[in-house]
Amino acid sequence: MIRLVAAEWLKLRTLKSFWICAGTALVLTPTAAALSGLLAAAVLQTVIIVLAAVVPGSEYATGTIRTTFLATPRRIAVMTAKALVVTVVAAVLGAVCLMLAYAVVTPVDVRHGTVVGRSAVDIGYCLLVALFAFAVTLAVKHTASAVSLALSAVLLVRLVLMVVSMMFGADPSTAFWNL
């Protein structure tokens, strides 16, 4: 299993889209936090959805998934290794980006409690979003379709939660769904 994870990490590191997504997240998340604290998580979740969809989607698009399965016929083990790499990358990228965003926002806005407690919830959310986008990509086997489906589902859930909480009189700026 360790060799599979190392191979998947190597595949991910060699993709240009990985570095573009990571750079975009590192630049846009703190920038969005400076403009509006609410935009930072939306930008980060979008980048993480794209990144999580690229991991299996790039292999399906180029046909190299066949070579991967020839080298390792245990498909469950391969997909588990891919999911583990996606999870670790999403956690690290989410932690770094959110810490940068909180460093920008915290001197101005500290009403959400401690930064550590808040970031743990946000990193957990990033992991769920990444694994959801990964699963959608495995189902549709196409990166662009998976990104649009996963992003639509995540944004639809946020919209429904916003409407429901506003119906019950919650303040939108402090609601629990406002990551």
Side-chain angles (χ1 to χ4, degrees):
M1 186 64 170
I2 293 173
R3 289 183 184 177
L4 284 175
V5 171
E8 293 303 325
W9 171 237
L10 178 65
K11 287 184 218 175
L12 181 61
R13 278 193 333 240
T14 57
L15 289 174
K16 287 181 187 177
S17 55
F18 167 71
W19 296 106
I20 291 170
C21 286
T24 301
L26 289 171
V27 170
L28 289 183
T29 304
T31 305
L35 297 174
S36 167
L38 302 177
L39 287 177
V43 167
L44 182 61
Q45 84 178 5
T46 304
V47 172
I48 285 179
I49 285 173
V50 170
L51 186 61
V54 161
V55 172
S58 63
E59 283 195 73
Y60 280 114
T62 59
T64 56
I65 194 75
R66 286 178 258 156
T67 307
T68 301
F69 288 146
L70 281 174
T72 309
R74 297 174 301 155
R75 293 176 184 225
I76 297 292
V78 171
M79 292 307 164
T80 303
K82 285 182 185 300
L84 187 61
V85 169
V86 165
T87 303
V88 170
V89 167
V92 170
L93 186 64
V96 170
C97 290
L98 289 171
M99 288 302 145
L100 289 173
Y102 289 144
V104 170
V105 173
T106 300
V108 178
D109 185 11
V110 292
R111 67 175 179 230
H112 293 298
T114 65
V115 173
V116 175
R118 178 79 179 152
S119 62
V121 170
D122 288 345
I123 292 169
Y125 179 72
C126 289
L127 294 178
L128 288 175
V129 166
L131 288 175
F132 176 70
F134 180 80
V136 169
T137 308
L138 289 180
V140 298
K141 294 177 177 50
H142 190 260
T143 307
S145 300
V147 168
S148 52
L149 286 171
L151 192 57
S152 298
V154 169
L155 293 177
L156 183 65
V157 167
R158 288 182 79 150
L159 179 66
V160 168
L161 288 174
M162 179 179 69
V163 169
V164 168
S165 67
M166 291 174 81
M167 285 174 41
F168 290 109
D171 181 16
S173 63
T174 59
F176 69 92
W177 49 265
N178 220 355
L179 299 174

